[in-house]
Amino acid sequence: MKIKLRKSVIFLLSVTVLAPIVLYTNTLGTYLASSSSRNEFVEDVSTLTFAGEVRPLNVLPQESSAALKEPLGVVYSENVGDSSSEGSSASSGEYAHITRLLSGEDGISSSSNSSSGGNGIRQVTDQVHEVDEKKENSSEAELIGKVHEVEQSKAKRRIVSRRSKAKSARPSERIAVVKDNSGEAGTEKRNEQIILPDIRIRQLKDQLIRARLYLTLSATRTNPRFVRDLRLRMKEVLKVLGGATKDSDLPKNALERSKTMEQTLLKGKQLEDDCASTLKKLRAMLHSAEEQLRAHKKQNLFLTHLTAKTVPKGLHCLPLRLSTEYFMLNSSQQQFPNKEKLEDPQLYHYALFSDNVLATAVVVNSTIIHTEDPSKHVFHIVTDRLNFAAMKMWFLANPPGRATIQVQNIEEFTWLNSSYSPVLKQLGSPTMIDYYFKNRHAESDSNIKFRNPKYLSMMNHLRFYLPEIFPKLNKVLFLDDDIVVQKDLTGLWSLNPRGKVIGVVETCGESFHRFDRYLNFSNPLISKTFSPRACGWAFGMNIFDLNEWRKQNITEVYHKWQNLNHDRLLWKLGTLPPGLITFWNRTFALEKSWHVLGLGYNPNVVQKDIERAAVIHYNGNLKPWLEIGISKFRNYWAKFVDYDQAYLRECNISP
């Protein structure tokens, strides 16, 4: 009998290679005479189809269909804290029983959740006891059946073991076990939580906000003990936060303080359960925060303009030092050479109107460096009486090579008086003085930039009197003192203006650079004459045809509109709005690469545009010689300043 049993076992080992394939793979249908259902194994495995011929399985005896029926597909789910989710109808006792079965080594349990309702926990397979050696007289069929059941049970145990390990390792995650079409166990799906950075700091700050809210509620405010405890916890949290910007900066007791604060806040929640009152308080806090934000923005704007108007200590020292040196020179030493070139129309003439010595020096230096023949270039500088000596002394001490320099005092223009110039008359009027110097108007004026004292300076309006300043010249290139020249500009003199007066770079790429940005189109004088969508352009680098200017009598056009704007109803102060009006339909467009703007207010100016530009313009309040200047643009300006110059060192002007 033992010999017979050994032979059977040897034969069985050869069969067991095929048995798992038949029982556990989805190729079962290729071997079966009739296909099985989606969720069940074939009930009769006593025959197989091989090479189109149905043959019996003589090794395995006929078994009942119940022993080989595959369990229905099962989905296990954990929904922590959600009583309304799938599977929540099971009682706590059933849930505990499922957990014990899933974590055991003795078998596998599953429950079916069909559309008709769950059938509870169904034991699919029982533990198979080891074959007792004493039962040698057992039938061969019985032994083979037991061994087959053991192999099936071991395979299923491995699946249960993997599920149990995953469940014990991550009990808070949702695990789904889905049986696929072949009857195997499905895959596990985990919902990973998104962890925000520095969540501990966020939590502490949130607790402070909630604590401040509780201090404003009536129910908690009337409880002195709670208020005292809450204020103490707030102090502790503030001390823990300190200057920390990330969780790693927090002290070790941060978690403990957070838990203590949370307990105190829970007490406050018990005292105050009026949601409507809480919502009202939160809205009030939000409104208050928005008001504070607006106030801070307004204050920041004011301080920026104040800084822009304030002369730095070094720039205040420089003209004083230069003026002292100038008046120590004799009259012959105070004169510039090459006076015969000042009125030669064949040369290239530049007009600069400024009271800033250092800024003017940068414009002249950067222009001369990029010219092929500096001897053909003439710079006409006009400044005020206070800076006249300093401006002359700078260029006497730092001559611009072979280029010609002329420095003039605006006070010497006797023809420029209030009887001739409407704007000069308006600047000295009581209403204008009241507008600038009465504090009560400061808060009511919506656009604070127009209160800059530069608009009181007549030098800002000299650009409208170029034919009077240069009566013998044909063309003049006007340059602002906050520009830097990066390429040779001589090509501008060869452009054909085609009957126009001024060459400009248009700035209407964006909607706010059109006429309605600068002019009051609610006034019929403006709306009937100009288009609100007309393209604006920039002062700062402009070529003027003075012959056409004289032919078209542009100065009188300017005077006409200035007289109409005596009450500032057509436009606010400044030179660009009257420039748009005066030169309406008298401009010819230049390539944008000639003049790039925005370096004094826009940190997002494209780097390639700056590098390609012939002139870059620091228009705005953030001038490169001020500390508030945009740092990444400052070097374009600073490289044309010789900081080793004696006067700059004495006034502590450094990069």
Side-chain angles (χ1 to χ4, degrees):
M1 187 66 179
K2 290 183 179 180
I3 296 173
K4 184 179 180 180
L5 178 61
R6 289 191 187 98
K7 290 181 179 180
S8 299
V9 170
I10 292 172
F11 183 76
L12 176 62
L13 292 176
S14 64
V15 176
T16 55
V17 175
L18 178 63
I21 297 175
V22 176
L23 293 175
Y24 293 106
T25 69
N26 56 3
T27 60
L28 182 62
T30 61
Y31 296 98
L32 300 179
S34 59
S35 62
S36 63
S37 64
R38 182 173 297 273
N39 293 325
E40 298 182 37
F41 285 110
V42 172
E43 296 182 1
D44 187 1
V45 294
S46 61
T47 62
L48 62 86
T49 301
F50 180 75
E53 184 179 354
V54 179
R55 298 180 182 181
L57 279 177
N58 297 323
V59 179
L60 297 176
Q62 285 291 104
E63 296 185 18
S64 64
S65 60
L68 295 176
K69 186 174 291 185
E70 174 68 8
L72 298 175
V74 181
V75 175
Y76 287 103
S77 63
E78 286 185 25
N79 296 306
V80 180
D82 186 2
S83 61
S84 63
S85 59
E86 255 187 274
S88 61
S89 59
S91 65
S92 59
E94 290 173 336
Y95 180 83
H97 182 57
I98 292 171
T99 305
R100 289 195 299 273
L101 288 174
L102 284 175
S103 60
E105 292 285 339
D106 298 333
I108 179 170
S109 298
S110 63
S111 63
S112 68
N113 284 331
S114 62
S115 59
S116 61
N119 293 325
I121 307 299
R122 186 162 61 90
Q123 187 76 20
V124 177
T125 181
D126 296 328
Q127 177 181 5
V128 180
H129 298 287
E130 296 179 357
V131 180
D132 192 355
E133 295 181 0
K134 294 181 181 180
K135 297 180 179 180
E136 297 177 349
N137 296 325
S138 301
S139 67
E140 179 181 339
E142 239 176 70
L143 180 59
I144 294 174
K146 290 292 184 180
V147 172
H148 169 68
E149 289 182 5
V150 169
E151 294 294 331
Q152 182 180 7
S153 178
K154 286 181 179 179
K156 293 184 179 180
R157 280 196 197 120
R158 287 194 292 271
I159 297 174
V160 174
S161 177
R162 286 196 297 268
R163 292 176 185 167
S164 301
K165 289 180 180 179
K167 181 176 180 62
S168 61
R170 294 178 175 85
S172 63
E173 294 181 353
R174 183 176 183 178
I175 302 175
V177 181
V178 183
K179 190 185 79 62
D180 59 11
N181 294 339
S182 65
E184 283 191 0
T187 59
E188 300 177 358
K189 297 182 180 179
R190 300 178 177 88
N191 295 330
E192 298 181 357
Q193 297 180 352
I194 299 175
I195 302 177
L196 295 174
D198 304 320
I199 192 170
R200 184 65 62 196
I201 286 183
R202 296 172 185 266
Q203 182 180 4
L204 291 171
K205 290 181 177 180
D206 179 67
Q207 288 177 338
L208 286 175
I209 294 174
R210 290 159 57 196
R212 294 190 185 100
L213 175 62
Y214 279 128
L215 290 177
T216 64
L217 301 178
S218 57
T220 55
R221 194 170 57 244
T222 55
N223 190 324
R225 182 176 179 180
F226 172 76
V227 171
R228 184 173 60 254
D229 291 345
L230 187 59
R231 291 187 184 279
L232 178 61
R233 301 294 171 256
M234 290 175 67
K235 290 181 180 179
E236 292 174 351
V237 171
L238 286 171
K239 185 177 180 181
V240 166
L241 279 174
T245 57
K246 51 187 178 180
D247 285 355
S248 58
D249 297 336
L250 294 173
K252 295 181 179 180
N253 62 343
L255 179 60
E256 180 183 351
R257 298 302 186 195
S258 177
K259 291 180 179 179
T260 307
M261 171 62 93
E262 193 64 35
Q263 293 174 358
T264 307
L265 292 174
L266 287 175
K267 295 179 182 178
K269 185 177 181 181
Q270 295 171 359
L271 294 174
E272 178 60 63
D273 57 357
D274 187 357
C275 295
S277 175
T278 304
L279 182 60
K280 187 183 295 184
K281 291 290 183 181
L282 285 172
R283 286 177 176 172
M285 292 174 65
L286 178 61
H287 178 73
S288 176
E290 290 175 347
E291 289 295 326
Q292 291 180 14
L293 178 61
R294 279 193 289 269
H296 286 307
K297 284 184 176 179
K298 188 175 181 180
Q299 184 181 25
N300 179 65
L301 179 63
F302 171 76
L303 292 176
T304 302
H305 282 279
L306 180 63
T307 305
K309 292 183 290 185
T310 304
V311 179
K313 196 177 293 184
L315 293 184
H316 180 70
C317 163
L318 182 60
L320 295 177
R321 183 73 181 86
L322 290 169
S323 297
T324 303
E325 291 292 328
Y326 177 78
F327 290 115
M328 294 176 64
L329 300 176
N330 56 48
S331 59
S332 61
Q333 294 174 320
Q334 294 175 352
Q335 304 303 316
F336 291 107
N338 304 323
K339 287 185 178 181
E340 68 281 359
K341 294 182 178 181
L342 298 178
E343 296 180 349
D344 186 352
Q346 302 301 318
L347 301 179
Y348 305 111
H349 295 266
Y350 302 84
L352 286 83
F353 309 141
S354 175
D355 58 358
N356 189 325
V357 176
L358 193 59
T360 304
V362 169
V363 175
V364 174
N365 291 345
S366 62
T367 304
I368 293 174
I369 287 175
H370 294 97
T371 58
E372 294 181 1
D373 187 0
S375 64
K376 294 182 179 180
H377 295 261
V378 182
F379 295 87
H380 303 270
I381 302 169
V382 180
T383 187
D384 56 15
R385 180 175 55 186
L386 292 175
N387 294 280
F388 174 69
M391 193 74 74
K392 288 193 70 175
M393 187 62 205
W394 175 268
F395 288 104
L396 288 169
N398 303 277
R402 294 181 295 162
T404 301
I405 290 287
Q406 179 189 28
V407 178
Q408 295 176 278
N409 184 357
I410 191 175
E411 303 291 339
E412 296 175 358
F413 298 156
T414 56
W415 50 268
L416 189 61
N417 50 60
S418 58
S419 61
Y420 175 67
S421 173
V423 69
L424 190 59
K425 183 178 180 179
Q426 292 168 12
L427 290 175
S429 66
T431 56
M432 190 70 69
I433 294 173
D434 181 74
Y435 175 77
Y436 272 102
F437 297 106
K438 295 294 184 180
N439 291 332
R440 64 174 179 271
H441 294 291
E443 296 180 0
S444 62
D445 195 342
S446 59
N447 201 338
I448 193 174
K449 76 175 185 177
F450 293 117
R451 300 180 58 79
N452 195 317
K454 74 178 183 179
Y455 297 116
L456 284 173
S457 173
M458 189 58 197
M459 282 195 303
N460 208 37
H461 296 266
L462 276 181
R463 64 195 73 189
F464 295 102
Y465 297 100
L466 291 175
E468 287 82 358
I469 299 173
F470 310 111
K472 296 184 180 182
L473 299 182
N474 299 327
K475 287 186 178 181
V476 168
L477 180 63
F478 170 77
L479 298 176
D480 260 340
D481 64 354
D482 55 353
I483 64 103
V484 172
V485 178
Q486 299 188 129
K487 294 182 180 180
D488 190 0
L489 302 180
T490 55
L492 291 170
W493 275 268
S494 61
L495 295 176
N496 184 5
R498 298 178 182 178
K500 304 299 183 181
V501 177
I502 177 176
V504 300
V505 170
E506 295 179 339
T507 58
C508 58
E510 302 175 27
S511 60
F512 60 86
H513 282 153
R514 298 185 182 272
F515 269 42
D516 56 358
R517 162 72 175 170
Y518 306 101
L519 304 177
N520 179 19
F521 276 87
S522 63
N523 191 297
L525 289 173
I526 298 295
S527 59
K528 291 179 181 179
T529 310
F530 309 102
S531 169
R533 305 303 298 162
C535 190
W537 45 268
F539 271 134
M541 194 283 298
N542 308 98
I543 184 73
F544 287 92
D545 187 330
L546 300 185
N547 291 329
E548 285 295 331
W549 185 311
R550 297 182 185 101
K551 288 179 184 179
Q552 301 181 31
N553 202 9
I554 299 300
T555 304
E556 288 303 317
V557 175
Y558 168 68
H559 285 173
K560 170 192 169 184
W561 284 103
Q562 279 290 353
N563 284 321
L564 292 173
N565 193 46
H566 64 91
D567 51 3
R568 300 187 309 281
L569 295 180
L570 304 184
W571 69 84
K572 292 289 186 181
L573 298 178
T575 55
L576 183 56
L580 298 176
I581 290 177
T582 301
F583 299 106
W584 168 253
N585 290 330
R586 298 179 176 93
T587 64
F588 64 96
L590 304 175
E591 291 290 335
K592 292 187 180 297
S593 60
W594 280 108
H595 186 191
V596 170
L597 298 97
L599 279 72
Y601 71 90
N602 181 16
N604 299 317
V605 179
V606 181
Q607 191 75 20
K608 290 183 179 179
D609 292 343
I610 296 175
E611 294 172 356
R612 289 195 298 258
V615 169
I616 55 175
H617 194 173
Y618 292 85
N619 58 311
N621 288 321
L622 310 180
K623 304 298 184 186
W625 55 83
L626 299 176
E627 291 185 3
I628 61 173
I630 301 174
S631 57
K632 66 178 180 179
F633 298 150
R634 185 177 286 118
N635 186 58
Y636 294 108
W637 182 86
K639 65 183 178 181
F640 296 105
V641 179
D642 182 10
Y643 289 101
D644 292 329
Q645 210 273 346
Y647 296 117
L648 299 186
R649 292 202 309 270
E650 291 173 2
C651 291
N652 295 320
I653 298 176
S654 58

